[in-house]
Amino acid sequence: MTHPMIEQAAEILRGNDRGSYTVPTHGLYPFQWNWDSCLTALGLAHFDEARSWTEIDTLFDHQWEDGFVPHIIFHEADDGYFPGPDVWQTGRDVPTTGITQPPVAGFAVRRLFDRARDTDLARRRAADLLPRIARWHDWFYRCRDPQGTGLVAIIHPWESGRDNSIDWDAALAAVPTDGVMSFTRKDIQHANPDHRPTQAQYERYIWLVQHFRSLDWDHAKLHDASPFRVVDPGFNAILIRSCLDLAAMADTLGQGDIARSARAQAQKGLTALESLWNDAHGQYLCHDRAANTTVDSPSVGGLLPAFAPIPAARSKAIVARLEVIGKRSEYLVASHDPDSAEFESLRYWRGPVWLIVNYMIADGLRTAGEDAMADRIVAESLHLIEQSGFAEYYDPMDGTPCGGGSFTWTAAMVVEFLTKGRVPA
Ligand code: DGY
């Protein structure tokens, strides 16, 4: 018999399905989001393999000529979201934003490929997606690492996926607000304002959008022209993992050039990632590339490198950090250290637990042989759902559900956790 939580998750995935893509949740996020879609595909694959490939294909159908893949595709008009296409003005036939998001596509596609029941379909779809994902990765290293350090920078907090993390506070303070348009936020009409970013943060988010727009979304210029340039260890770990997964698939599919290049990118990234390790915190920290300073902020972004094949000693240190965080909160993994003065248990990425992050950390720890902590993260994740339903995120102290409800990627992760990736025959 199917687990009742899988039935509930399936219903959420169906309810948010728009045919060729899935919205994260009705109302608050009415379009296709980049990393949401890729992680959602993992859950969809359990029920309908062809549909799961389509989810990622649809995203890559909107890849730009330079290799960039946008963070939102505005498939249908919806004035319930701000900032919409009229603010971004990227000039695409189907409007998109001009910033990107954590590149989980390579990882997700490999997972679909490895588990495929319809192996002919998987070979065809993966062979077609591989070069497109490789072009996106090349875009990252070309446009977001112009000095060739091995690590890419984000130029807008939204690119990290951890929108209002404490990690960005100092860097965002350096972003001006003069000339920022007057605007009405829609997010706080759908979700509790106490769970969302502040108005001061939104003004800087929009200033950056206006700034990039004034540069015609020319990605060759945006990195150097942005006052906000931060190297996020979690983001880089996701890119490294995706490069390695891409390389593995490319080997299997006889795409040797892609395999070689992706492996070299990952190797360089892994070596450079070591520069972000911080002994005092026992975890990785962000680097503010614009200010050339270490960001002294112990967030989950510094634990996410567990998702990449980091040295065993680093994985063990991350487990030790998780044990400490686990003593200070009821549910792993708080998105910020609960002992930090800035920690806010309900406010988006300044404390709450996110199931997609739990999934990636647990996956990496399992590969590193840290099964006990991986099991604990999965068990606490499922306990959250039993207690509080399929929310966008949760208070790590008491499990209060926060943000949007009936949330797609939360549902997809529940399917992943409960099936342990096994798909029905
Ligand atoms: C939002 O609108 O809150 C999104 O996270 C931006 O991508």
Side-chain angles (χ1 to χ4, degrees), residues 29 33 71-72 81-83 101 158 163 187 196 202 348:
Y29 305 123
W33 261 258
H71 107 288
I72 304 175
Y81 180 80
F82 175 85
Q101 253 185 342
W158 286 344
D163 299 11
D187 59 312
R196 295 286 306 173
Y202 254 78
Y348 214 30

Side-chain angles (χ1 to χ4, degrees), residues 70-325:
H71 107 288
I72 304 175
I73 321 293
F74 298 105
H75 290 283
E76 283 178 17
D78 190 318
D79 59 14
Y81 180 80
F82 175 85
D86 52 323
V87 179
W88 294 90
Q89 295 175 20
T90 54
R92 309 291 300 176
D93 289 346
V94 175
T96 75
T97 63
I99 58 169
T100 193
Q101 253 185 342
V104 288
F107 157 73
V109 167
R110 180 177 180 198
R111 198 137 274 196
L112 296 185
F113 183 75
D114 284 352
R115 288 186 192 156
R117 287 152 282 165
D118 187 342
T119 48
D120 287 345
L121 176 74
R123 286 184 81 86
R124 262 186 286 121
R125 304 292 276 258
D128 178 61
L129 275 165
L130 246 56
R132 298 199 268 169
I133 299 172
R135 288 184 52 233
W136 188 26
H137 293 176
D138 291 346
W139 173 87
F140 268 114
Y141 287 111
R142 193 174 66 248
C143 295
R144 296 308 183 76
D145 182 22
Q147 303 287 327
T149 65
L151 296 173
V152 302
I154 54 161
I155 60 169
H156 192 295
W158 286 344
E159 291 199 310
S160 68
R162 300 187 295 114
D163 299 11
N164 67 339
S165 168
I166 292 153
D167 292 353
W168 323 133
D169 286 0
L172 208 54
V175 173
T177 52
D178 53 298
V180 76
M181 63 188 279
S182 67
F183 57 86
T184 305
R185 287 174 60 180
K186 303 285 174 70
D187 59 312
I188 47 178
Q189 297 170 8
H190 299 290
N192 184 339
D194 294 339
H195 300 180
R196 295 286 306 173
T198 63
Q199 183 65 17
Q201 286 161 344
Y202 254 78
E203 281 168 13
R204 286 162 179 85
Y205 299 156
I206 300 307
W207 187 93
L208 286 167
V209 172
Q210 288 178 232
H211 180 54
F212 302 148
R213 187 176 81 190
S214 76
L215 297 167
D216 297 325
W217 296 107
D218 179 350
H219 289 121
K221 295 191 186 137
L222 299 191
H223 175 278
D224 289 356
S226 177
F228 183 94
R229 295 195 298 283
V230 184
V231 178
D232 173 7
F235 192 100
N236 277 277
I238 288 170
L239 180 55
I240 290 165
R241 172 74 184 263
S242 280
C243 285
L244 289 171
D245 285 338
L246 197 72
M249 273 186 298
D251 280 338
T252 308
L253 293 169
Q255 300 192 18
D257 288 349
I258 288 183
R260 268 185 297 282
S261 157
R263 217 163 257 127
Q265 287 165 334
Q267 198 43 58
K268 188 169 172 184
L270 273 173
T271 305
L273 196 59
E274 276 297 291
S275 68
L276 302 181
W277 180 260
N278 183 280
D279 269 331
H281 284 288
Q283 65 164 85
Y284 297 87
L285 296 179
C286 292
H287 175 71
D288 184 333
R289 188 176 272 173
N292 193 22
T293 51
T294 295
V295 183
D296 189 11
S297 168
S299 79
V300 79
L303 308 176
L304 252 173
F307 190 49
I310 51 174
R314 302 292 185 231
S315 303
K316 288 206 183 314
I318 286 174
V319 169
R321 279 287 293 141
L322 288 165
E323 272 158 6
V324 173
I325 292 169

Side-chain angles (χ1 to χ4, degrees), residues 342-387:
E342 293 91 355
F343 171 82
E344 290 179 80
S345 68
L346 294 167
R347 204 183 277 283
Y348 214 30
W349 286 93
R350 299 175 79 85
V353 175
W354 293 73
L355 251 64
I356 38 117
V357 169
N358 283 9
Y359 176 75
M360 289 187 276
I361 293 177
D363 181 89
L365 289 180
R366 209 175 286 293
T367 307
E370 300 292 346
D371 287 294
M373 183 51 81
D375 288 345
R376 177 172 168 191
I377 291 172
V378 171
E380 292 186 13
S381 300
L382 290 172
H383 189 192
L384 268 177
I385 308 300
E386 272 158 22
Q387 182 193 317

